[in-house]
């Protein structure tokens, strides 16, 4: 039986959690865990799941077995928002509930990596209800701090914030509210301050902006590509996700 050959490796990987051979066999009865072990061993290049599994069931084996890429502290996600004539990247709209400034900075850097991996321009807007120093409050301060962390970690990266969505995308608003910014008015990558903002934001654009296709969520930060489908996924959603996973694997 296929699963049997992975039992010793899974026991070894999870021995700190006290996993026994019988527990490993039971875990490997699930196709997602089996596929994750095949990915771990390099027998496949990527994994797509979720049409009949929950996000948690897809992610749990990946976090237990594949783990984060070197230097990455947490996994996040992006949507590719394909609008007529342009493609934007939105993150994180699926995973991290209320990221700290440190975590938000990590998400921004992962989004920058993703844009570059897919050959898209990367000008990263750290979104908020306030542009630069106009608004007060802990939420704006969080985005301000995250932006500072990114700029220190990657001085060469084009990133700015806090920016309101219009200041990030509309040149006239950007030059008025954030004069001299390298990102305002021409952002291509949008980092939302929380899961609520990100999920609402991507769905609002997907459903209300004519001709928009939202592809994702694509997970970023794992050592090998694993991607989650919605249980309402259409055939074309599955095809897009497989294509993204193949690009990540390459």
């Amino acid at each position: 039986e296929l699963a049997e050959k992975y039992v010793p490796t899974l026991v070894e990987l999870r021995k700190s959690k006290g996993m026994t051979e019988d527990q490993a066999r039971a875990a490997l009865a699930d196709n997602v865990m089996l596929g994750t072990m095949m990915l771990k061993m390099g027998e496949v290049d990527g994994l797509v799941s979720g049409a009949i599994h929950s996000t948690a069931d897809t992610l749990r084996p990946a976090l237990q077995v594949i783990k984060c890429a070197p230097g990455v502290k947490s996994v996040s996600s992006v949507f590719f928002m394909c609008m007529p004539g342009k493609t934007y990247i939105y993150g994180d709209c699926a995973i991290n509930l209320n990221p700290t400034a440190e975590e938000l900075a990590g998400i921004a850097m992962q989004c920058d990596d993703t844009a570059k991996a897919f050959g898209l321009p990367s000008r990263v807007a750290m979104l908020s209800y306030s542009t630069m120093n106009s608004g007060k409050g802990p939420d704006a301060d969080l985005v301000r701090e995250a932006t500072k962390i990114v700029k220190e970690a990657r001085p060469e990266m084009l990133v700015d914030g806090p920016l309101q969505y219009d200041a990030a995308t509309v040149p006239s608003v950007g030059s008025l509210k954030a004069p001299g910014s390298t990102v305002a008015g021409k952002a291509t990558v949008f980092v939302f301050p929380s899961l609520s903002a990100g999920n609402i934001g991507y769905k609002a654009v997907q459903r209300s902006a004519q001709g928009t296709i939202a592809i994702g969520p694509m997970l970023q930060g794992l050592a090998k590509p694993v991607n989650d489908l919605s249980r309402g996924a259409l055939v074309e959603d599955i095809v897009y996700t497989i294509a993204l996973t193949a690009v990540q694997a390459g």
Side-chain angles (χ1 to χ4, degrees):
E1 207 218 316
L2 180 63
E4 194 58 34
K5 74 181 227 190
Y6 301 107
V7 169
T9 312
L10 186 54
V11 169
E12 179 63 26
L13 285 170
R14 304 286 294 155
K15 67 180 178 194
S16 65
K17 302 290 181 207
M19 183 170 267
T20 65
E21 284 197 2
D22 286 342
Q23 287 171 328
R25 277 187 196 95
L28 286 160
D30 174 53
N31 281 342
V32 181
M33 180 57 93
L34 183 60
T36 304
M37 287 302 295
M38 293 170 81
L39 182 62
K40 176 75 175 176
M41 307 293 281
E43 291 166 10
V44 295
D45 297 318
L47 180 94
V48 174
S49 167
I52 57 169
H53 290 82
S54 70
T55 295
D57 288 343
T58 297
L59 268 185
R60 195 180 305 106
L63 293 171
Q64 289 173 348
V65 170
I66 304 297
K67 300 192 169 25
C68 290
V72 173
K73 293 195 179 109
S74 61
V75 173
S76 66
S77 73
V78 292
F79 280 85
F80 293 85
M81 305 298 289
C82 306
M83 304 172 202
K86 59 178 181 265
T87 298
Y88 286 158
I89 285 177
Y90 284 13
D92 172 2
C93 310
I95 304 286
N96 293 283
L97 198 56
N98 288 304
T100 62
E102 203 51 78
E103 287 164 345
L104 200 56
I107 291 166
M109 290 186 271
Q110 287 175 9
C111 289
D112 178 56
D113 290 339
T114 291
K116 287 169 179 160
F118 281 80
L120 295 168
S122 181
R123 294 183 291 277
V124 182
M126 307 293 283
L127 297 177
S128 183
Y129 58 78
S130 146
T131 292
M132 298 313 182
N133 297 310
S134 66
K136 298 287 176 275
D139 291 358
D141 292 342
L142 177 94
V143 176
R144 206 169 282 121
E145 176 63 21
T147 306
K148 184 166 160 275
I149 294 168
V150 177
K151 286 182 170 179
E152 283 169 7
R154 293 191 181 178
E156 76 294 345
M157 185 171 146
L158 292 177
V159 60
D160 224 339
L163 290 169
Q164 286 159 287
Y165 196 93
D166 57 348
T169 51
V170 182
S172 57
V173 181
S175 58
L176 180 72
K177 290 191 169 187
S181 168
T182 56
V183 172
K186 45 184 183 284
T188 55
V189 177
F190 301 83
V191 178
F192 289 83
S194 69
L195 185 60
S196 285
N199 197 274
I200 292 166
Y202 106 79
K203 284 187 185 289
V205 173
Q206 177 190 27
R207 298 296 179 182
S208 308
Q210 209 168 2
T212 300
I213 298 170
I215 303 176
M218 187 190 87
L219 301 183
Q220 40 184 24
L222 284 165
K224 293 185 173 194
V226 173
N227 284 310
D228 178 43
L229 296 162
S230 159
R231 276 177 284 183
L234 303 170
V235 171
E236 65 184 25
D237 297 327
I238 300 172
V239 172
Y240 286 139
T241 303
I242 291 169
L244 292 183
T245 308
V247 173
Q248 283 181 293

